[in-house]
């Protein structure tokens, strides 16, 4: 799949380079050398920190997609179709997180919303870690464990939906 994604990305980049017309008028265009621009971006701590934030959010998402089946199907006993339906919930919460971020822009700056999303992710992750660590000492039914785990995952994904677009906007 990764080779396909690389090939598809190269195809889209080539198609955009050769098929999309430039919208900036010829007299307003500036020539730029790519290597000095690249080095400038690599030395910009703001760009690097925002890039790391986006990468971290994508890493969290990918780790759920990769490890979620083992936790929910093998450990908690969900069927594959039940686990598949959890993605509907995650998709809905991601949309809600993005819409919440959009509404918050009426009252907050992008940096404040970014902090709210990061705090949501951090707090939920800490509480969920404590919860999972203390499961051997609790007498909870499988249904409660599944419900609490899904709530934690969806809140983390909502935080990611708040962090990612604001990080990308601030990086520009």
């Amino acid at each position: 799949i990764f080779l396909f994604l690389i090939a598809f990305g190269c195809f889209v980049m080539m198609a955009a380079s050769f098929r999309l017309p430039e919208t900036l008028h010829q007299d307003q265009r500036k020539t730029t050398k790519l290597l000095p621009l690249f080095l400038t971006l690599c030395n910009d701590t703001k760009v690097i920190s925002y890039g790391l934030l986006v990468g971290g959010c994508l890493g969290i998402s990918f780790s759920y997609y990769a490890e979620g089946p083992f936790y929910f199907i093998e450990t908690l006993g969900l069927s594959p179709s039940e686990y598949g339906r959890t993605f509907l919930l995650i998709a809905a919460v991601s949309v809600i997180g993005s819409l919440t971020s959009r509404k918050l822009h009426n009252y907050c700056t992008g940096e404040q919303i970014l902090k709210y999303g990061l705090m949501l992710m951090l707090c939920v992750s800490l509480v969920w870690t404590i919860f999972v660590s203390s499961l051997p000492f609790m007498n909870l039914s499988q249904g409660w464990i599944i419900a609490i785990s899904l709530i934690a995952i969806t809140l983390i994904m909502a935080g990611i939906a708040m962090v990612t677009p604001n990080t990308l906007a601030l990086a520009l």
Side-chain angles (χ1 to χ4, degrees), residues 77-119:
L78 285 182
S79 71
S81 64
E82 290 171 329
Y83 173 70
R85 280 182 257 156
T86 65
F87 285 96
L88 295 173
L89 177 65
I90 289 171
V93 168
S94 295
V95 170
I96 291 169
S98 296
L99 292 174
T100 301
S101 174
R102 182 175 166 195
K103 287 286 186 189
L104 284 173
H105 273 284
N106 294 330
Y107 311 103
C108 306
T109 65
E111 288 180 349
Q112 290 172 318
I113 298 168
L114 175 67
K115 289 177 186 176
Y116 295 151
L118 289 171
M119 287 304 297

Side-chain angles (χ1 to χ4, degrees), residues 27-138:
D27 57 334
Q28 294 177 333
R29 294 182 197 171
K30 297 178 187 175
T31 57
T32 312
K33 293 186 179 186
L34 290 181
L35 184 60
L37 178 63
F38 175 74
L39 293 174
T40 301
L41 289 176
C42 287
N43 291 322
D44 188 345
T45 57
K46 182 179 169 185
V47 170
I48 297 296
S49 61
Y50 287 143
L52 289 173
L53 270 177
V54 171
C57 287
L58 294 176
I60 292 168
S61 298
F62 183 76
S63 67
Y64 172 71
Y65 302 140
E67 301 298 327
F70 298 106
Y71 178 67
F72 282 104
I73 294 173
E74 293 183 17
T75 305
L76 297 181
L78 285 182
S79 71
S81 64
E82 290 171 329
Y83 173 70
R85 280 182 257 156
T86 65
F87 285 96
L88 295 173
L89 177 65
I90 289 171
V93 168
S94 295
V95 170
I96 291 169
S98 296
L99 292 174
T100 301
S101 174
R102 182 175 166 195
K103 287 286 186 189
L104 284 173
H105 273 284
N106 294 330
Y107 311 103
C108 306
T109 65
E111 288 180 349
Q112 290 172 318
I113 298 168
L114 175 67
K115 289 177 186 176
Y116 295 151
L118 289 171
M119 287 304 297
L120 176 64
M121 292 167 55
L122 177 67
C123 292
V124 172
S125 296
L126 287 174
V127 169
W128 192 33
T129 301
I130 293 167
F131 169 74
V132 170
S133 299
S134 61
L135 276 177
F137 309 107
M138 296 182 184

